[in-house]
Amino acid sequence: MPRTVLLAAYVAWPTGVALLRLVAHARGRCLVFTGAGYLIALVIATTATPSSVAVPLGLMLGGVIGAVLCLGTGHGLTFTFDPETTYWVYEGKIPRGDRLVEVLNVLVAICGGVSVNWG
């Protein structure tokens, strides 16, 4: 995949999440964890070498981390120091915006995974 497409994905990812926030209801929790995945992607892409591997690898890992954290915290957060308590409990149906953000994270991870030179 051309490098310009990968760099465009780094711009389109947060832009798409922001647009989904405006168009469909996406909870802040999902946006924060997607942002964490994006931050991890940027750190990998800017610090790892060679850049021909680092840029797509950052997209792949950031997208996977964002999707897993959004899915894992869909109904609340539980910490090991107090496993009986769930914080920010959400008992309703997961908003459509959250699901769309998760799909976007997975698409970003696929885009990065397809672009990594595995050989």
Side-chain angles (χ1 to χ4, degrees):
M1 195 172 290
R3 187 173 178 83
T4 54
V5 172
L6 294 173
L7 296 177
Y10 274 97
V11 174
W13 185 12
T15 305
V17 170
L19 288 174
L20 285 173
R21 172 68 173 175
L22 295 174
V23 174
H25 175 66
R27 293 175 296 163
R29 174 187 325 169
C30 189
L31 299 178
V32 166
F33 289 128
T34 298
Y38 185 70
L39 183 65
I40 290 168
L42 286 177
V43 168
I44 292 171
T46 57
T47 58
T49 56
S51 64
S52 62
V53 174
V55 172
L57 186 65
L59 270 179
M60 184 181 73
L61 292 177
V64 166
I65 289 169
V68 166
L69 289 176
C70 281
L71 284 170
T73 61
H75 289 289
L77 297 174
T78 303
F79 298 102
T80 55
F81 60 81
D82 189 11
E84 301 300 319
T85 305
T86 302
Y87 300 91
W88 301 298
V89 178
Y90 190 80
E91 307 248 346
K93 185 178 178 186
I94 302 297
R96 182 174 43 109
D98 280 15
R99 296 296 180 216
L100 292 173
V101 169
E102 291 163 3
V103 167
L104 181 61
N105 285 332
V106 170
L107 289 175
V108 165
I110 290 170
C111 177
V114 167
S115 302
V116 172
N117 183 6
W118 297 103

